[in-house]
Structure formats: C-alpha cells, structure tokens
C-alpha cells in the first residue's frame, strides 16, 4: 500500500515534468502576416518542418518584405521557447530585432504549442528539432549568421545544440 502510493506520487511528478500544461493559441495570436514597424514593412511566413522522429514542427519566420530587404541574406535569431510555452513567446523579440535587419525564426518544439508530439525532454530531443530548423535556414540561402536566443528549456536546447554545431552564435 505505502509503496503503491509512493509510486503513484512519483508517476505524477514525472508526468508534470515531461508533459507540462501545453500552451494553446491560435495562429492569429502571432499577429498579421504583413505588418509595419517604424515605417518599414515586414512579413511572417508560417511553415512546417519534420523532425527526425516524424513529428511536424510548426514554425514562423519574421523578416522584411522582399522589396525592403537591405540584402538577400540577413542575420537570423532563432528564438527557443521555454517549458510550458510556444513560439508565441518570441513575438516580443520581433520589434526589437527586425529594425536592425535581423530576422526572427521561431517554432514550437515537439510536444509544445501546435507542433506534434506528446512529451518534452527539457532539451535532449529538442536539440534535434533545432538541428532541423538550422538546416532549413542554411538551405534557404536567406540568412547569413544564425544566433540562438533561448529561455529556460530553450536555453538548455541552445547549449546542447551549440556543442554539436560550433558555427552557431
């Protein structure tokens, strides 16, 4: 009886870590797909990528509209959200970075937000999601250098990925 209760308590604790409350939102919460900041026009492009575990990862790339790009390739910051969060967390970075011609790419980790997946691993599998994103950005030929901005679980993910990819800022 006692050991059964201890096991049940442990199971609840473990579930709280790997399946925290999922951040729910609607695409419209990310703002309009075309918008202005300081008399310049920008766009948000929503895409989906697939990670190595077969999960669909939902992503958004905020960048100047083509006619207002100062160069074909621009620096990009990939924003990595925290546990219990989503790419919606990155929206506050957009007006800070875009005026400096730094694009912002954000996504929902597998098991978070609107992406596929049931569980999070607090960075271990999330680094594979990030690797897919970095590969996509490099293959797009739309970015120069890539920087990572992570909060909480996202910061851990940045460190775990950075160890495998020293070219990341």
């Amino acid at each position: 009886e006692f050991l059964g209760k201890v096991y049940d308590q442990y199971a609840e604790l473990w579930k709280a870590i790997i399946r925290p409350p999922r951040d729910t939102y609607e695409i419209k919460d990310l703002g309009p797909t075309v918008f202005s900041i300081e008399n310049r026009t920008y766009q948000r492009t929503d895409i989906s990528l697939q990670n190595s575990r077969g999960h669909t990862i939902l992503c958004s790339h905020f960048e100047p509209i083509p006619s207002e790009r100062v160069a074909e390739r621009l620096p990009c910051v990939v924003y990595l959200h925290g546990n219990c969060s989503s790419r919606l967390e990155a929206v506050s970075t957009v007006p800070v970075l875009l005026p400096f011609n730094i694009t912002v790419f954000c996504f929902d980790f597998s098991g978070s937000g609107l992406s596929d997946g049931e569980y999070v691993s607090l960075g271990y599998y999330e680094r594979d999601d990030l690797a897919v994103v970095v590969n996509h950005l490099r293959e797009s030929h739309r970015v120069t250098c890539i920087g990572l901005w992570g909060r909480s679980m996202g910061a851990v993910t940045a460190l775990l990925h950075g160890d495998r990819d020293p070219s990341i800022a």
Side-chain angles (χ1 to χ4, degrees):
E1 180 76 30
F2 174 74
L3 288 180
K5 287 183 179 183
V6 169
Y7 176 80
D8 290 344
Q9 293 277 331
Y10 179 77
E12 288 302 311
L13 176 64
W14 183 242
K15 286 179 191 172
I17 294 170
I18 65 169
R19 179 60 276 153
R22 195 174 193 128
D23 190 24
T24 56
Y25 65 96
E26 296 179 22
I27 292 294
K28 67 180 173 101
D29 296 334
L30 293 169
T33 56
V34 176
F35 57 97
S36 294
I37 301 171
E38 298 176 10
N39 297 320
R40 291 185 59 204
T41 307
Y42 301 95
Q43 65 186 14
R44 184 190 85 236
T45 305
D46 299 319
I47 65 165
S48 60
L49 301 172
Q50 193 160 38
N51 70 11
S52 58
R53 293 178 292 148
H55 297 155
T56 298
I57 306 296
L58 298 184
C59 316
S60 297
H61 196 178
F62 296 86
E63 56 190 336
I65 60 171
S67 63
E68 293 192 22
R69 283 181 89 90
V70 296
E72 185 178 335
R73 298 175 69 195
L74 295 171
C76 181
V77 166
V78 178
Y79 187 90
L80 308 168
H81 67 76
N83 193 12
C84 302
S85 194
S86 67
R87 64 183 156 158
L88 190 59
E89 189 179 294
V91 170
S92 64
T93 68
V94 169
V96 175
L97 296 171
L98 282 179
F100 291 100
N101 294 306
I102 300 170
T103 70
V104 177
F105 193 96
C106 55
F107 65 100
D108 292 333
F109 286 117
S110 175
S112 299
L114 303 179
S115 288
D116 288 349
E118 189 59 34
Y119 302 104
V120 297
S121 66
L122 303 179
Y124 184 79
Y125 287 114
E126 288 76 14
R127 66 182 171 170
D128 297 335
D129 296 348
L130 176 57
V132 169
V133 166
V134 168
N135 188 52
H136 164 77
L137 289 169
R138 287 188 173 139
E139 289 179 355
S140 76
H141 303 290
R142 307 273 298 153
V143 303
T144 53
C145 57
I146 298 171
L148 303 178
W149 182 339
R151 189 184 71 76
S152 186
M153 178 179 75
V156 172
T157 302
L159 291 170
L160 290 172
H161 179 79
D163 185 54
R164 301 189 299 190
D165 185 352
S167 71
I168 295 291

